Amino acid sequence: MKKNINHLLTGKEFTKKSLEDLINLANELKTERDNGVTRNDLSGKTLALLFDKPSLRTRMSFSVAMTELGGKFIEAPANLRKQEEPEDLAGVLSTYVHAVMIRTFEQELVERFASNATIPVINGLTDEHHPCQGLADILTLKQKFGKLDGLKLAYIGDGNNILHSLFVLAPLLGIDIHYSCPQKYLPDGKLIEAMSFHPEATGKIKFFNSPAEAVKDTDAIYTDVWTSMGQEAENAERLIAFEGYQLNSSLHKLAANRAIIMHCMPMVRDQEISSEMADHEQSAIYNQAENRLHVQKALLLNLLT
């Protein structure tokens, strides 16, 4: 397989074609798995999983991905590692394993690690970016609608790493993003400026003052928790700020009739999303979670074969 990227740190590594190729491969891998087809492409390869934050979907999906591709994985949670500089950690792990997935806080830590690594580095989540989730979201949209170009996705709630990754990836495949966030919780303006949106991107990004305006006639409505890991002390203040931003039936009725419901999980039911919407027949929430496995398989094949 021709390698399209060397690392996945933000998603900016992709061209339009390389992103399309990865999404198509992920879809093929899902079909293979559904039909009981097995692979051994990564036999003899080992992936290190570094966790500075708790994890369920990231941990499980990468572990299963490596196993089902014939490879192995080793976990190294923060409480079992001594503190050391990212550059030194990268220098050591580059001699032991064939790739590293890092789930941590500051994006700078992943960037510093990658700067001294001689093996592929995958961002499994930082406070600034969550590209693996963004890939799973795009695969979900493709499965639900067949084509991506011209779709409109509404995002309401906290302008966090999920929204940042959608900004980077979705417009590259022609998806428009309509977003609405409370003024204090808008996406990071400096970070958005630094992203320097891809010249191949045809999808548009537009801010709306209210969730109702943002979701009007869109094909998908996306939300995330109002209080992420490390923000627990702000919870009371955030609950007040996000009043009126719940993804519920009243909001869903304003979108297109076919609009799907999206959430990256974990979710706080009846807070940022009503239970009715989470369990709705047009909810794609569990599809998104499953698709983490398929896009990460495609990513690992791209990076390691």
Side-chain angles (χ1 to χ4, degrees), residues 142-197:
K142 183 169 180 66
Q143 290 168 345
K144 295 295 183 182
F145 298 110
K147 74 182 188 81
L148 297 170
D149 188 47
L151 289 180
K152 291 181 170 57
L153 182 150
Y155 179 96
I156 60 169
D158 191 16
N160 59 15
N161 52 5
I162 294 295
L163 185 54
H164 292 155
S165 289
L166 289 171
F167 281 174
V168 172
L169 295 167
L172 191 53
L173 298 183
I175 303 168
D176 293 340
I177 299 178
H178 296 184
Y179 72 101
S180 182
C181 313
Q183 197 64 34
K184 186 177 178 180
Y185 300 101
L186 289 167
D188 189 320
K190 291 182 181 178
L191 184 60
I192 293 173
E193 185 178 349
M195 286 180 193
S196 301
F197 293 112

Side-chain angles (χ1 to χ4, degrees), residues 205-224:
I205 297 173
K206 186 175 181 181
F207 171 74
F208 290 83
N209 288 316
S210 72
E213 292 175 298
V215 306
K216 185 178 180 182
D217 299 326
T218 56
D219 303 295
I221 309 177
Y222 200 135
T223 193
D224 192 11

